[in-house]
Amino acid sequence: MGFSSSSSSSCLPLRAFLIIIVEVLFCYNGGAIAVPLKESVPAVIVFGDSIVDPGNNNNVKTIVKCNFPPYGRDYIGGIPTGRFSNGRVPSDMITEKFKVKKILPAYLDPNLQMQDLLSGVSFASGGSGYDPLTPQIVSVLSLSDQLKMFKDYRNKIKTAVGETRSEMIVSKSIYIVCIGSDDIANTYYSTPFRKSHYDIPAYTDLLAKSASSFFQELYGEGARRIGVLSLPPIGCVPSQRTLNGGVDKGCSEQANQAAKLFNSKLSSLINSLNQRFPEARFVYLDIYNPLLSLIQNPTHYGFEVGTKGCCGTGNIEVSILCNRYSINTCNNATKYIFWDSYPPSEKAYEILAHIVVDNKINKFF
């Protein structure tokens, strides 16, 4: 039996309406609808550097801080929280994508409540790296320090909710590791400590070995869903253009090549760990190519400036050099890919989080 054309055509408006509703709901949830319905994510736990540090360095004796204006001017209430951006950072956005919460707090936040702990925190410290020397140079928290804090975190939640629930939280949480840029940009190319003893192939081997040890230690502590971000095109951030980009301030190809070499080793390491630990999910998250695409095609993504930051001149200001007295700080950071001379702006982070994470969510389960 067939249907009349009038009946068929009457269904079209309803069908179009349903499609629109689905699309609106998907956009409203920022893509978080992609989380499998039967899967639970009790918490998101983050390790890393300034890209995902929501304010741990506020409570560390280091000059690598940003808990002052104009940092945070586009954050909730215009508050400088210690996030190295004008607003939220990737740790916040990724946490929201997994439907946990909109803001991921710093573990060292003195106002932290138990409910904050139970739904996840960030242990990241701006200026840290895979290379143990990198955090020592600027007196920030190393990956070993961050792992020690995670062990302390486990004990706290175990005391609060008991062993069974705490083990469930640890095993089912999403773990994000975002670190390594400072190893290449700062420790290797800006100090003499490693360059005189290692060429780039050897140094990236050192980084990969350190990364492998950390991932396995994290696995040993109960983590099973671990996402690892690659290095970005470090040579194209404004500070590297200024320092190593020549008269034209182009991208530093040597820094970009170093990042690409490490990324190839990191990707291979992730594949190896998945084979070695089949009950875990190690997910490689490529940030290199998406960020490079933004930089090379800024107008395509709604930006006007991709070669310098919003703060001050945008060429060298970062951390304490980007402050309330910085001259020529832009009025609208949404026009800029970079907030200062190193970290991207909140708008760029939002676009990158969408590109990098959304189509990989299912790989965590």
Side-chain angles (χ1 to χ4, degrees):
M1 180 183 293
F3 293 95
S4 67
S5 59
S6 60
S7 174
S8 176
S9 62
S10 67
C11 292
L12 290 177
L14 177 60
R15 191 177 304 154
F17 175 75
L18 290 173
I19 290 172
I20 291 170
I21 289 297
V22 169
E23 289 179 344
V24 168
L25 287 172
F26 183 84
C27 292
Y28 180 80
N29 284 289
I33 199 170
V35 175
L37 295 176
K38 294 182 180 180
E39 299 291 347
S40 65
V41 178
V44 174
I45 297 168
V46 176
F47 301 87
D49 57 20
S50 62
I51 304 302
V52 288
D53 178 359
N56 282 310
N57 278 13
N58 297 352
N59 300 288
V60 175
K61 292 182 179 179
T62 176
I63 62 169
V64 186
K65 296 179 185 289
C66 59
N67 54 340
F68 43 80
Y71 286 96
R73 72 179 195 187
D74 298 313
Y75 188 77
I76 304 163
I79 301 170
T81 60
R83 286 169 171 80
F84 288 79
S85 188
N86 59 304
R88 292 199 303 159
V89 292
S91 46
D92 301 311
M93 297 163 187
I94 293 172
T95 301
E96 186 177 18
K97 285 185 178 295
F98 282 100
K99 298 183 178 180
V100 176
K101 52 189 175 183
K102 189 172 181 178
I103 299 297
L104 190 73
Y107 181 67
L108 295 182
D109 183 344
N111 298 314
L112 209 63
Q113 302 296 313
M114 180 51 62
Q115 188 54 46
D116 297 319
L117 289 174
L118 294 176
S119 53
V121 291
S122 173
F123 300 98
S125 179
S128 195
Y130 285 117
D131 182 350
L133 180 60
T134 300
Q136 289 182 27
I137 293 172
V138 288
S139 300
V140 297
L141 302 171
S142 66
L143 278 178
S144 294
D145 293 328
Q146 294 179 36
L147 194 62
K148 287 177 184 176
M149 291 194 300
F150 175 63
K151 293 175 182 178
D152 179 55
Y153 162 87
R154 286 191 60 185
N155 290 331
K156 285 181 179 179
I157 64 171
K158 180 180 177 181
T159 300
V161 300
E163 185 172 359
T164 300
R165 187 181 171 194
S166 66
E167 286 185 355
M168 181 276 292
I169 291 172
V170 169
S171 65
K172 289 188 174 294
S173 289
I174 298 295
Y175 295 80
I176 299 295
V177 182
C178 177
I179 199 166
S181 297
D182 291 305
D183 295 318
I184 301 292
N186 298 334
T187 304
Y188 192 82
Y189 283 117
S190 300
T191 74
F193 305 123
R194 293 300 196 197
K195 206 170 184 180
S196 58
H197 297 93
Y198 298 88
D199 58 14
I200 278 296
Y203 188 60
T204 51
D205 280 344
L206 181 152
L207 299 182
K209 183 177 180 181
S210 174
S212 178
S213 296
F214 177 73
F215 301 150
Q216 290 181 68
E217 284 186 81
L218 192 56
Y219 174 88
E221 290 299 320
R224 293 296 181 268
R225 300 166 170 175
I226 304 170
V228 183
L229 276 85
S230 73
L231 295 192
I234 303 166
C236 293
V237 304
S239 62
Q240 294 305 300
R241 288 176 181 269
T242 300
L243 296 172
N244 302 306
V247 177
D248 296 330
K249 293 184 179 178
C251 294
S252 168
E253 284 308 314
Q254 62 176 2
N256 279 353
Q257 289 302 316
K260 289 170 69 175
L261 179 60
F262 173 74
N263 287 343
S264 68
K265 295 175 182 180
L266 182 64
S267 178
S268 296
L269 171 61
I270 295 301
N271 290 335
S272 174
L273 291 172
N274 277 319
Q275 293 177 356
R276 182 175 177 184
F277 305 110
E279 69 277 25
R281 298 291 182 271
F282 290 88
V283 184
Y284 178 78
L285 301 170
D286 172 35
I287 191 70
Y288 186 99
N289 291 297
L291 180 53
L292 187 62
S293 180
L294 260 68
I295 294 167
Q296 293 176 338
N297 310 283
T299 56
H300 177 75
Y301 297 94
F303 297 103
E304 295 180 10
V305 184
T307 58
K308 64 179 184 178
C310 165
C311 187
T313 65
N315 296 321
I316 201 68
E317 293 88 345
V318 65
S319 188
I320 58 173
L321 296 180
C322 172
N323 54 63
R324 70 177 75 227
Y325 304 108
S326 297
I327 299 173
N328 297 325
T329 296
C330 78
N331 293 320
N332 185 358
T334 64
K335 296 179 180 180
Y336 288 71
I337 292 175
F338 293 95
W339 160 244
D340 57 24
S341 69
Y342 205 93
S345 64
E346 180 182 44
K347 179 183 174 181
Y349 277 145
E350 288 173 346
I351 294 171
L352 290 168
H354 169 70
I355 296 172
V356 174
V357 178
D358 282 10
N359 67 346
K360 291 293 184 75
I361 285 179
N362 283 329
K363 291 187 178 294
F364 284 88
F365 303 98

